[in-house]
Amino acid sequence: MSILVVGTGYVGTTTALVLAELGWRVTGLDTDDSKIKLLQQGSLPFYEDGLEALLKKHLQSGNIRFTTKTVKAIEQSDLIFICVGTPSQQDGSADLRYVKQVAMDIGRHMNGYKLIVNKSTVPVGTQEKVTRWVLEAQTRTHPFDVASNPEFLREGKALPDAMYPDRVVIGASSDHAAKLLKALYQSLKCPVVITTPKTAELIKYAANAFLATKVSYINELAKLCDKLGINVKEVAQGIGLDPRIGSSFLQAGIGYGGSCFPKDVSALLQTANEHDTELRLLEQVISINRAQHQHLLHKARQRLGTLVHKKIAVLGLAFKPDTDDIREAPAVNIIKSLLDEKAIVSVHDPVAKLPPELVHVSVTPCNTPEQALYGADAVFICTEWKSYQHIDWERIKRYMNDPNIFDGRNMLDARLMAAIGFHYQGIGYQC
Ligand SMILES: NC(=O)c1ccc[n+]([C@@H]2O[C@H](COP(=O)([O-])OP(=O)(O)OC[C@H]3O[C@@H](n4cnc5c(N)ncnc54)[C@H](O)[C@@H]3O)[C@@H](O)[C@H]2O)c1
Ligand SMILES: O=c1ccn([C@@H]2O[C@H](COP(=O)(O)OP(=O)(O)O[C@H]3O[C@H](CO)[C@@H](O)[C@H](O)[C@H]3O)[C@@H](O)[C@H]2O)c(=O)[nH]1
C-alpha cells in the first residue's frame, strides 16, 4: 500500500514519520516549497523533540520522501491522508478551503481506487462534503472511500502521542475502508473505536472541548483560591486523585492557547448554533479563557501601582513548553496589553520567535532569561519551560530593579521565591 500524506505541518509530518516507522512507504506532499525543501534535507520546519532523528532515519531507509508535485503524488498513492489546516473563520466556524482544495485535487487526478482519510479536525458532516467534492471534480468515474480518522497528538509530545496513542478512532462508511485502516494501525496496540464518520468527527471536538473545560474550571477556582488564600495546586491534587476526575488538565494559569483548543471550541459552538442548540457551558469556557490572562496583569497593576514605564520581563512566548508554536499564545496577548499600558517589555523564549506584529515595536527579544530580567521591575512567566526552574533566581534578584514575580503558570516554588526575597504571585497560588 502506497501512502500519501497531504500537508506536512505538525500533524502531517508526524503522521508520515510514524507510518514510515511502522514500516509503510510514505510520501509527504505540501504546497509550501520551503517546507518540503527543509524536509528533503532532513530538517524539520518546526520545533518538535525527537522527530528530526526519525526524519533522518527514514530518509535513509527510503520509507519516506517529500514532494510538491501534487498530480504525480496522487496518481502513485492508494491511501491518502488529508492533514491540512482548518483555521477559524470570523464567525468561529472552521475554514474548510484547504480540505476542499485537496479533495478536488484528488478527484481530478484519481486513476483508480483510493481510500481518502481525513485527519484534519473538521466539523460534523465534512466526510460527506469531501465525498461530494471528490465526485464533482472527477473527470472519469473511479471508486473511492472517504473515512474520518481524527488526530489526538499534542504539540511538544507529538512523537510519543502518535506512536503510543490512547486510542485510534476510525469513522468509516464502508467495511472495506474500516478494515484497511485497522490493518494500517494494527501494530499500535491500542483500543480502536470504529464508528460512523460523523461520530468520529464529533469525538475529536468533544475531546478538545472537554479538556478546555477542565482548564477553565480550574482557572475559575484559582480566582476563588486567590481570595481565600488557598493553594489551587493542592486543590487540584486533592480532586485529581479521584480517578473519576483525573489529575491532568487541572493546572491553573493564564489560560489555554494553541492552534487547537481556541479554534475547536469555537467551531463546536458554531456547529451547535447551526443546529439551533445552545452549548452554554462552552460559551462560558471560552469567555473565562479570554479573560484569564488579564488576571496576571491585574495582580501586577495592584502591586506596582501602574505599569507605565515599568520594565517587564516576559519569560516564555510559546502557547506551552516544548514547542515553538505561538498561535493563540496567552503570552502574545499579555505583551500587547503591556505595550498598551506603556510598559517597557523584554522577552525570552528558548525556541519561539515574536510574531511579525510585535517585531518592529518596542519589545526587546533576548537570547537569555538573564538578559530579559536585567533591570526589570517584574517578571511575567507565561510558558513553563523547565529551564526557567534552573535560573539562579537568588543571583538574578540582585540585577532586577524590583524583585516581583508574576508566575502565570505556577511553575516556581512560591515559598522558596519568597525566602529568597521575591514578591511572588501565581494564579491561585502564593506564599
Ligand atoms: N497541531 C496539532 O497539535 C494538531 C493535533 C491534532 C489535530 N490537528 C488538526 O490537524 C490539522 C493540521 O494541523 P497542523 O497544526 O498540522 O497544521 P499546519 O498549519 O502546521 O500544517 C498544515 C499544512 O498543510 C499545507 N497545505 C495547505 N493546503 C495544502 C494543499 N492543498 N496541498 C498540500 N498541502 C497543503 C500547508 O502548507 C501546511 O504546511 C488541523 O485541522 C488541526 O486542527 C492539529
Ligand atoms: O492543565 C492544563 C493543561 C493545559 N493547559 C493549556 O492548554 C493549552 C493546550 O495544551 P495541550 O492540550 O497540552 O496542547 P495541544 O498541543 O494544543 O493539544 C491539544 O489539542 C490538540 C489539537 O487538536 C489535540 O490533538 C490534543 O489532544 C490536545 O491536548 C496550552 O496552552 C496549555 O498551556 C493549561 O492551561 N492547563
Side-chain angles (χ1 to χ4, degrees), residues 155-172:
E155 288 178 25
K157 301 262 185 307
L159 185 54
D161 281 355
M163 278 304 290
Y164 308 101
D166 299 318
R167 77 300 207 183
V168 165
V169 174
I170 296 171

Side-chain angles (χ1 to χ4, degrees), residues 158-353:
L159 185 54
D161 281 355
M163 278 304 290
Y164 308 101
D166 299 318
R167 77 300 207 183
V168 165
V169 174
I170 296 171
S173 44
S174 84
D175 286 347
H176 181 64
K179 254 190 220 147
L180 274 180
L181 280 173
K182 237 184 130 180
L184 185 82
Y185 289 124
Q186 72 181 0
S187 49
L188 285 182
K189 313 234 176 312
C190 67
V192 178
V193 177
I194 303 219
T195 181
T196 64
K198 278 186 180 169
T199 310
E201 287 163 346
L202 185 57
I203 286 171
K204 174 64 197 175
Y205 283 106
N208 273 1
F210 185 78
L211 294 171
T213 303
K214 277 186 100 175
V215 175
S216 279
Y217 174 71
I218 201 69
N219 282 340
E220 278 271 270
L221 273 185
K223 277 186 230 154
L224 181 61
C225 287
D226 267 337
K227 290 269 157 71
L228 298 174
I230 289 173
N231 177 355
V232 74
K233 295 215 268 192
E234 287 178 20
V235 177
Q237 188 194 16
I239 62 174
L241 285 168
D242 181 335
R244 293 172 302 173
I245 296 173
S247 58
S248 59
F249 283 76
L250 287 181
Q251 206 182 304
I254 45 176
Y256 61 76
S259 67
C260 295
F261 283 7
K263 95 170 160 59
D264 293 348
V265 183
S266 294
L268 181 55
L269 266 187
Q270 197 56 31
T271 299
N273 280 346
E274 282 163 21
H275 292 82
D276 296 323
T277 305
E278 267 190 303
L279 296 182
R280 279 180 293 160
L281 177 62
L282 293 186
E283 282 167 12
Q284 288 305 312
V285 167
I286 292 177
S287 105
I288 292 163
N289 194 62
R290 283 204 182 123
Q292 191 60 23
H293 69 278
Q294 285 296 338
H295 203 43
L296 201 66
L297 288 156
H298 178 67
K299 283 167 186 272
R301 265 181 233 117
Q302 274 196 323
R303 168 78 184 165
L304 302 175
T306 172
L307 297 177
V308 178
H309 299 146
K310 296 285 187 215
K311 189 173 179 237
I312 310 289
V314 173
L315 296 191
L317 255 180
F319 81 97
K320 61 183 269 192
D322 304 320
T323 178
D324 59 352
D325 200 339
I326 54 161
R327 290 180 279 184
E328 303 280 337
V332 173
N333 287 332
I334 286 184
I335 293 170
K336 286 180 180 165
S337 294
L338 287 170
L339 292 176
D340 285 347
E341 294 188 45
K342 301 204 166 27
I344 303 156
V345 183
S346 53
V347 184
H348 171 266
D349 189 285
V351 293
K353 302 269 175 289

Side-chain angles (χ1 to χ4, degrees), residues 2 23 258 354:
S2 168
L354 282 167

Side-chain angles (χ1 to χ4, degrees), residues 364-378:
T364 311
C366 299
N367 292 328
T368 62
E370 287 78 7
Q371 211 181 329
L373 286 157
Y374 192 81
D377 294 295

Side-chain angles (χ1 to χ4, degrees), residues 6-12 29-32 35 83-86 98 101-102 105 119-121 151-155 204 259-260 263-264 327:
V6 187
T8 56
Y10 292 88
V11 169
L29 169 73
D30 206 291
T31 43
D32 185 334
K35 273 190 187 173
C83 299
V84 296
T86 48
Y98 305 105
Q101 180 65 53
V102 178
D105 284 343
K119 232 181 204 313
S120 297
T121 303
E151 177 53 58
F152 299 97
L153 67 77
R154 291 162 296 175
E155 288 178 25
K204 174 64 197 175
S259 67
C260 295
K263 95 170 160 59
D264 293 348
R327 290 180 279 184

